[in-house]
Amino acid sequence: MKGKLLRLILFADLPTEIAFTLRMSLSFILVGLIFIFSGHYVAQKYLSNVPAVYDALKMYDFLVVFLSLIVVGLIFLYSKVVAKDYKQIQEGIEKLSEGKMDFEIKLTPIADRAIIEIAKAIERLKASLKISLGLAKRGIKAK
């Protein structure tokens, strides 16, 4: 039950590019809302006699929302790229499990370090399997 709730809250069952976008965007939007509400609180508490403050707050609100939408768009684009890296890893593992050794994992230039390490590990595993298969064909047991 607890695991299912966490998976639901963290969008864990959605495709990577959507889940990543939602997680990052929600946190960014929450920060934006904190700025908006704190600005309104301060203005109402300390500057309620100054009419120009409310005009400034309207512009501030617009800018926070507008910039938040730009950041959400950038996050979505980034998550689309990251999802390609995950897909490459998944396809590489599937090919390896089918015994196909003629593949190359091509990661994007902005791949995370952990994904790069996983891709390298798959390449090492592929090389080891090629050696083992070669030895098996010649009838030599690998140690």
Side-chain angles (χ1 to χ4, degrees), residues 72-86:
V72 167
L74 291 172
I75 290 170
F76 180 73
L77 292 175
Y78 174 72
S79 64
K80 295 286 279 182
V81 171
V82 168
K84 288 178 185 176
D85 292 331
Y86 283 104

Side-chain angles (χ1 to χ4, degrees), residues 46-62:
Y46 300 106
L47 303 170
S48 59
N49 301 349
V50 185
V53 168
Y54 292 101
D55 292 335
L57 276 176
K58 285 180 187 175
M59 178 56 82
Y60 176 74
D61 295 348
F62 171 77

Side-chain angles (χ1 to χ4, degrees), residues 2 38-39 44 46 61 104 106-107:
K2 187 174 164 184
S38 61
Q44 191 173 34
Y46 300 106
D61 295 348
E104 183 182 345
K106 297 178 183 172
L107 300 177

Side-chain angles (χ1 to χ4, degrees), residues 33-48:
L33 288 173
I34 289 169
F35 279 114
I36 288 174
F37 289 126
S38 61
H40 283 271
Y41 174 78
V42 169
Q44 191 173 34
K45 182 97 170 158
Y46 300 106
L47 303 170
S48 59

Side-chain angles (χ1 to χ4, degrees), residues 56-121:
L57 276 176
K58 285 180 187 175
M59 178 56 82
Y60 176 74
D61 295 348
F62 171 77
L63 286 174
V64 168
V65 170
F66 179 72
L67 293 174
S68 295
L69 291 175
I70 289 173
V71 169
V72 167
L74 291 172
I75 290 170
F76 180 73
L77 292 175
Y78 174 72
S79 64
K80 295 286 279 182
V81 171
V82 168
K84 288 178 185 176
D85 292 331
Y86 283 104
K87 187 78 170 162
Q88 283 288 311
I89 295 291
Q90 181 181 6
E91 288 173 0
I93 292 171
E94 286 173 7
K95 288 179 182 177
L96 196 59
S97 70
E98 295 168 357
K100 298 176 184 171
M101 304 288 177
D102 60 338
F103 68 90
E104 183 182 345
I105 296 175
K106 297 178 183 172
L107 300 177
T108 60
I110 58 170
D112 291 333
R113 184 177 296 158
I115 294 293
I116 293 169
E117 292 303 317
I118 292 170
K120 287 178 182 178

